[in-house]
Amino acid sequence: MSDAVTLRIMQSFAGIPAERWNVLSGASKDHSGGVYNPFLSHAYLSALEQSGSATAKTGWLGQHLLLEGADGQVRGGLVCYLKSHSQGEYVFDHGWADAFERAGGRYYPKLQSSVPFTPATGPRLLTAHGEAERPVQDALAAGLKELARRHDASSAHATFVPETEIPAFEQAGFLHRTDQQFHFNNDGYSSHANFLETLASRKRKALKKERRAALENGISIDWLTGSDLTEAIWDQFFAFYMDTGGRKWGRPYLTREFYSLIGERMPDDILLVMARRNGRYIAGAINFIGGDALYGRHWGCIEDHPFLHFEVCYHQAIDFAIAKGLKRVEAGAQGEHKLARGYMPVTTHSAHFFTHSGLARAVGDYLERERRDVEETAEILAEHGPFRKGERQDD
């Protein structure tokens, strides 16, 4: 870079003023530097920490990097945690950890650049508007690698990285990994019916039938956002989260306080899709509204009804995105069942650095094979999408 810069390590977003963090590209709705990503906002990240969801006690010790110029202005930033486990990441490295420890190594602690419990792609090498992007990215990627060495960590990982950031990570010695998600792309549809017209006849009939069946038992759907998000509503949604999350993961990651904090700090960025029956809510899904995308996160229920999960999580998200003119819906990690509902395969990217050369070689060989498998699988799945031939969506 053209002048002296300093990398400052911050253990908590409580120590980073919101106005300083939100000058970074993509982290502010009102900033012209990038498309708003709610998960990178100070409101969201600080709520994770303040609520006790992502803290040193839960294995997420903040090691956030701020790149500052000689004038004290923030040039860039990177969300980072020192971790004692691999939970809540959605890019799985348990096999690497097990193999390394069987060979006598120590895999933890490791560094993780990601938004905790949030499998959504977004900038990791954050650059302030007006700064030359690549020099800032190079400095942050190199800083993350050096931080791993200072902590005597086995590795540093940046997950759900935009493909455009991969060259900066590779320049710093990181390995490139790919995986797959399923996204809905809004091709300028005027309504859900307009979207259905682009599907093959058999697929279209199946989805219409599925949506009718989901609401057969006297169920209705509400969209709640902004001032609708009362503490009573959060109490009900948290009960869904705890019931379903407890059965799915064993121990849900997010605390009740987290929902109160985001409801207070960013209510207009949240959409709850809630299913009502016999005068009470029985299921719901939480979504976050970005500058050009709707991000589906998690759902829960206290009553089981056929197809209700698909209606609340996928069909209603498409309805909302079309109604609000959002370009896409990102429906979270995994899930080939999303394909039949109009969500097409999209490649996701991550970057991984290992301080042990032997581990780096072994993982590098594995990732080369894995990238080929991911590419071939995506091609096969895309051919089996629900769209009429010649109208396949591309991300």
Side-chain angles (χ1 to χ4, degrees):
M1 300 184 69
S2 59
D3 59 353
V5 293
T6 300
L7 271 174
R8 187 185 303 275
I9 302 169
M10 307 296 294
Q11 291 195 352
S12 171
F13 275 91
I16 307 174
E19 61 273 15
R20 281 173 63 81
W21 180 258
N22 288 340
V23 302
L24 299 176
S25 177
S28 173
K29 280 183 176 178
D30 302 323
H31 204 281
S32 59
V35 176
Y36 176 63
N37 185 317
F39 303 124
L40 294 172
S41 68
H42 191 280
Y44 188 86
L45 293 164
S46 63
L48 285 170
E49 294 181 349
Q50 186 177 335
S51 67
S53 302
T55 64
K57 186 177 180 180
T58 61
W60 296 80
L61 173 62
Q63 293 288 286
H64 315 302
L65 298 182
L66 286 182
L67 185 70
E68 299 177 342
D71 57 1
Q73 295 299 309
V74 175
R75 305 291 183 84
L78 180 140
V79 179
C80 184
Y81 300 88
L82 187 67
K83 294 202 64 192
S84 57
H85 56 73
S86 292
Q87 304 301 315
E89 296 171 7
Y90 303 92
V91 176
F92 303 112
D93 64 347
H94 301 89
W96 304 346
D98 291 344
F100 191 51
E101 293 185 357
R102 284 199 304 270
R106 181 174 61 91
Y107 196 76
Y108 304 104
K110 67 172 189 175
L111 286 171
Q112 183 75 27
S113 177
S114 65
V115 179
F117 327 120
T118 308
T121 293
R124 298 295 173 252
L125 306 174
L126 298 170
T127 305
H129 181 57
E131 292 291 327
E133 190 172 75
R134 185 56 190 268
V136 170
Q137 291 181 348
D138 287 345
L140 290 169
L144 178 58
K145 184 171 70 172
E146 177 59 27
L147 189 61
R149 289 179 171 141
R150 291 190 181 187
H151 279 292
D152 194 25
S154 72
S155 51
H157 309 263
T159 50
F160 298 102
V161 172
E163 188 175 8
T164 54
E165 291 186 358
I166 291 297
F169 280 111
E170 289 183 323
Q171 177 68 29
F174 285 69
L175 301 173
H176 179 201
R177 188 179 195 182
T178 57
D179 203 345
Q180 185 175 266
Q181 287 186 346
F182 294 84
H183 299 174
F184 166 78
N185 295 304
N186 180 7
D187 193 19
Y189 301 119
S190 60
S191 64
H192 194 277
N194 181 216
F195 154 64
L196 289 178
E197 291 170 2
T198 67
L199 305 186
S201 175
R202 182 171 58 88
K203 300 291 186 179
R204 180 168 60 250
K205 290 177 181 177
L207 291 190
K208 286 182 176 180
K209 181 179 180 181
E210 179 174 281
R211 297 200 73 177
R212 288 194 300 268
L215 305 179
E216 276 181 351
N217 295 320
I219 296 172
S220 60
I221 303 294
D222 292 337
W223 290 351
L224 305 181
T225 189
S227 61
D228 302 327
L229 303 176
T230 64
E231 288 298 295
I233 290 295
W234 286 126
D235 284 341
Q236 294 173 75
F237 181 78
F238 189 67
F240 306 155
Y241 171 67
M242 290 297 291
D243 182 79
T244 301
R247 286 185 278 113
K248 186 175 182 181
W249 307 309
R251 183 183 66 83
Y253 299 125
L254 300 169
T255 66
R256 172 63 181 83
E257 185 183 2
F258 170 76
Y259 295 99
S260 291
L261 289 173
I262 60 171
E264 174 188 338
R265 296 173 182 177
M266 49 191 304
D268 294 334
D269 298 340
I270 299 168
L271 169 69
L272 286 186
V273 177
M274 300 285 276
R276 182 194 298 270
R277 191 175 82 90
N278 292 336
R280 67 167 188 156
Y281 287 125
I282 60 167
I286 188 169
N287 304 263
F288 290 82
I289 307 166
D292 64 355
L294 183 69
Y295 301 91
R297 283 302 302 111
H298 48 265
W299 105 300
C301 65
I302 54 174
E303 290 184 10
D304 291 322
H305 295 272
F307 307 114
L308 186 59
H309 171 255
F310 300 138
E311 177 65 26
V312 170
C313 294
Y314 307 134
H315 299 310
Q316 289 289 326
I318 289 175
D319 287 347
F320 185 87
I322 292 173
K324 302 301 181 181
L326 298 173
K327 292 181 180 179
R328 67 187 184 281
V329 178
E330 298 191 17
Q334 289 93 42
E336 292 183 8
H337 59 279
K338 299 168 188 171
L339 186 68
R341 293 159 183 90
Y343 291 76
M344 297 297 286
V346 173
T347 300
T348 59
H349 303 268
S350 56
H352 308 268
F353 169 77
F354 300 92
T355 56
H356 188 280
S357 59
L359 179 59
R361 283 194 300 271
V363 172
D365 291 342
Y366 168 77
L367 293 183
E368 186 175 348
R369 298 191 300 272
E370 186 185 50
R371 286 194 299 270
R372 290 196 298 267
D373 290 343
V374 169
E375 183 178 1
E376 291 171 3
T377 300
E379 291 174 355
I380 293 169
L381 288 171
E383 288 301 320
H384 289 83
F387 295 90
R388 295 199 302 260
K389 295 301 180 183
E391 296 194 32
R392 191 181 75 190
Q393 289 195 338
D394 293 310
D395 189 56

